[in-house]
């Protein structure tokens, strides 16, 4: 994605350097446009070195390229971080006296402002009116964080952390292109929990309701994808507009996934797949033995065998086909954390073990995540970027964040 990072003159300009890294490490092409005042806080060499591009503040550098028009026109996202009170005022009133403000007037892509200033300036009716004007025109204005400001004072006005800003940028692009951002793509999502039958009336199962997978399928559909939902024992209805393939067991799910991913662009393994199944299936109901004197209290021993690891198999098949990053493969992990590691540590190890591109780690407990309407997840990327934490939030919010991450990956490659 072609990103313009505008930096205006506030102390928080140093944090914009981390935001710039976040974008470049994800494969985005970033042009930094600082204001003159911003360069008093962080100099041009820093921006040039981190972005790998020359940096200009005025409209007179490289004038043959008409930069005051071209940079804005070609941008797919403009983010201004930090946005000072002065910059917000200029943007709201359409002034264009330097390269950044001119770029804001020519951009037709999503625009994100991340204000940072003292609390008094932020709360002043003039600033609030400017923010309202920018939002009414469709820009995203991120709420500043509350906390310690430049001096000893504290209150709302801090620039949010780079990771949060990055998420807001992806969300703005996702929202702007939301309705059609996955148009033309074929997506396969597995959902629910497999059941491994013991006899005609019993099975080994798990607590998965399928809500998260259904939310992912619905969101992909909303963004324009053609969606196949491989559904195992859902406790909620499948969304409309998606093709549903119903399965019960892990082995059936493996067969359905293998068939469906052949021409898919993205595959998301959200289902809770049983790792084991009973070695044998009793064709008739397993009965208690009935000793005449009632003395027999024996119980059968159920022998289990391993189920296929579907996700690992999909990764292996892709490597065998040599189809690069198609499909993008996303796994989920249900982790409680234990003596051997935290949720994040276990998830990072699982991401490596499974070899998928993204891993969405759910924090689970008996009363959390399974069957609930909200959850907390960490989205980990195989390229080693820091994890993005979402929630506690509704499963639809988690679904949107996961598709934003996948969308970013699809655009970057
Ligand atoms: N998965 C799979 N096939 C299996 C087990 C899991 O495809 N037999 C997928 C899940 O859909 C999920 C990911 O692997 O995307 C991780 O599932 P999880 O149950 O957390 O991991 P396991 O591999 O089962 O590891 P463990 O139980 O040791 O934590």
């Amino acid at each position: 994605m072609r990103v313009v990072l505008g930096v205006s003159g506030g102390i928080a300009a140093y944090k914009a350097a981390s935001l710039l890294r976040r974008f470049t490490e994800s494969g985005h092409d970033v042009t930094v446009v600082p204001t003159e005042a911003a360069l008093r806080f962080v100099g041009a060499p820093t921006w040039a070195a981190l972005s790998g591009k020359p940096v200009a503040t005025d409209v007179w550098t490289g004038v043959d390229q008409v930069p005051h028009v071209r940079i804005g026109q070609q941008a797919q996202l403009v983010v201004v971080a930090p946005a000072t009170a002065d910059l917000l005022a200029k943007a709201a009133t359409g002034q264009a006296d330097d390269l950044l403000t001119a770029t804001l007037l020519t951009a037709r892509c999503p625009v994100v402002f991340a204000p940072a200033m003292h609390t008094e300036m932020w709360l002043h009716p003039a600033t609030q009116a400017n923010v309202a004007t920018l939002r009414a025109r469709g820009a995203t204005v991120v709420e500043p964080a509350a906390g310690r400001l430049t001096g000893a004072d504290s209150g709302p006005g801090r620039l949010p952390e780079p990771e949060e800003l990055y998420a807001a940028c992806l969300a703005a692009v996702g929202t702007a292109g939301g309705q059609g951002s996955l148009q033309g793509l074929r997506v396969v999502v597995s959902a629910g929990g497999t059941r491994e039958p013991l006899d005609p009336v019993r099975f080994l199962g798990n607590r998965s309701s399928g809500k998260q997978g259904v939310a992912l399928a619905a969101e992909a559909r909303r963004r324009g994808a053609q969606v196949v939902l491989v559904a195992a024992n859902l406790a909620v209805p499948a969304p409309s507009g998606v093709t549903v393939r119903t399965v019960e067991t892990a082995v059936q799910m493996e067969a359905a996934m293998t068939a469906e991913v052949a021409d898919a662009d993205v595959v998301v393994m959200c289902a809770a797949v049983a790792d084991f199944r009973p070695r044998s299936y009793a064709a008739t109901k397993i009965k208690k033995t009935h000793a005449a004197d009632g003395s027999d209290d024996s119980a059968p021993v159920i022998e289990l065998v391993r189920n296929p690891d579907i996700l690992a198999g999909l990764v292996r098949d892709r490597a065998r086909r040599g189809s690069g990053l198609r499909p993008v493969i996303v796994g989920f992990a249900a982790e409680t954390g234990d003596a051997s590691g935290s949720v994040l540590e276990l998830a990072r190890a699982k991401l490596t073990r499974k070899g998928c591109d993204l891993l969405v780690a759910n924090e689970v407990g008996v009363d959390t995540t399974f069957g609930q309407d909200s959850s907390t997840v960490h989205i980990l990327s195989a390229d080693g970027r820091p994890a993005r934490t979402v929630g506690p939030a509704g499963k639809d919010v988690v679904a949107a964040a996961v598709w934003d991450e996948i969308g970013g990956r699809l655009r970057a490659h």
Side-chain angles (χ1 to χ4, degrees):
M1 175 162 67
R2 274 188 307 281
V3 180
V4 171
L5 171 60
V7 185
S8 58
I11 191 85
Y14 75 94
K15 283 193 189 172
S18 303
L19 180 62
L20 168 57
R21 281 212 93 118
R22 185 68 178 81
F23 274 109
T24 54
E25 282 170 2
S26 300
H28 300 288
D29 170 75
V30 188
T31 302
V32 184
V33 183
T35 62
E36 273 296 328
L39 294 184
R40 290 178 170 242
F41 292 93
V42 179
T46 300
W47 303 120
L50 290 179
S51 68
K53 291 185 175 194
V55 166
T57 61
D58 60 66
V59 297
W60 307 112
T61 309
V63 81
D64 54 315
Q65 305 280 323
V66 202
H68 72 291
V69 176
R70 184 186 46 85
I71 294 175
Q73 280 176 339
Q74 293 183 349
Q76 292 168 302
L77 167 74
V78 177
V79 48
V80 184
T84 57
D86 179 62
L87 188 282
L88 292 173
K90 283 184 169 155
T93 51
Q95 295 178 52
D97 60 357
D98 63 8
L99 190 56
L100 177 55
T101 47
T103 297
L104 285 166
L105 274 191
T106 51
R108 293 295 174 267
C109 57
V111 177
V112 176
F113 294 94
M117 62 198 75
H118 273 83
T119 304
E120 292 81 356
M121 297 174 94
W122 170 246
L123 294 178
H124 193 284
T127 304
Q128 290 299 311
N130 291 332
V131 168
T133 300
L134 293 168
R135 284 184 175 148
R137 290 191 196 132
T140 298
V141 182
V142 179
E143 283 295 317
R148 176 92 192 269
L149 300 172
T150 316
D153 45 352
S154 63
R158 274 169 64 90
L159 189 72
E161 292 309 307
E163 190 59 31
E164 203 179 311
L165 293 179
Y166 183 72
C169 290
L170 289 190
V173 176
T175 313
Q179 294 295 342
S181 58
L182 297 176
Q183 197 75 45
L185 297 184
R186 201 167 169 279
V187 159
V188 183
V189 179
S190 73
T194 65
R195 289 180 180 174
E196 310 299 323
L198 267 170
D199 70 13
V201 295
R202 302 183 181 94
F203 58 83
L204 300 180
N206 59 64
R207 294 174 186 273
S208 178
S209 62
K211 284 182 185 169
Q212 185 63 73
V214 163
L216 282 159
E219 182 62 16
R221 179 74 206 110
R222 198 185 70 75
R223 295 183 184 207
Q226 193 191 329
V227 183
V228 176
L229 180 67
V230 176
N233 312 295
L234 300 184
V236 291
S240 58
V242 311
T243 304
V244 180
R245 291 203 50 180
T246 306
V247 298
E248 185 178 6
T249 66
V251 169
Q252 289 169 3
M253 179 169 275
E254 184 190 37
M257 293 303 293
T258 310
E260 292 295 342
V261 302
D263 56 351
D265 297 288
V266 183
V267 42
V268 184
M269 271 303 295
C270 185
V273 184
D275 289 320
F276 311 100
R277 65 177 182 277
R279 177 179 289 283
S280 57
Y281 171 74
T284 56
K285 187 181 173 200
I286 301 168
K287 305 287 277 181
K288 290 197 287 287
T289 46
H290 297 283
D293 60 358
S295 62
D296 183 358
D297 60 356
S298 69
V301 173
I302 300 165
E303 195 185 341
L304 301 176
V305 292
R306 286 287 283 262
N307 269 330
D309 185 327
I310 304 171
L311 180 60
L314 295 173
V315 171
R316 256 194 329 270
D317 291 350
R318 181 180 72 176
R320 203 173 298 138
R321 282 199 305 276
S323 53
L325 270 182
R326 290 295 154 124
V328 171
I329 301 178
V330 183
F332 268 68
E335 299 291 356
T336 56
D338 61 23
S340 66
S342 66
V343 168
L344 263 179
E345 286 162 351
L346 294 177
R348 183 72 62 200
K350 189 170 286 183
L351 174 66
T352 310
R353 201 165 62 241
K354 300 262 182 179
C356 51
D357 305 308
L358 292 173
L359 189 85
V360 185
N362 257 305
E363 292 190 8
V364 298
V366 173
D367 295 327
T368 55
T369 298
F370 284 119
Q372 304 290 308
D373 290 321
S374 86
S375 55
T376 299
V377 303
H378 308 280
I379 307 176
L380 286 80
S381 173
D383 56 22
R385 283 193 274 113
R388 172 178 171 194
T389 300
V390 184
K395 294 194 175 182
D396 49 350
V397 174
V398 170
V402 171
W403 283 115
D404 288 344
E405 288 289 328
I406 297 171
R409 225 181 149 83
L410 287 166
R411 276 189 296 276
H413 290 93

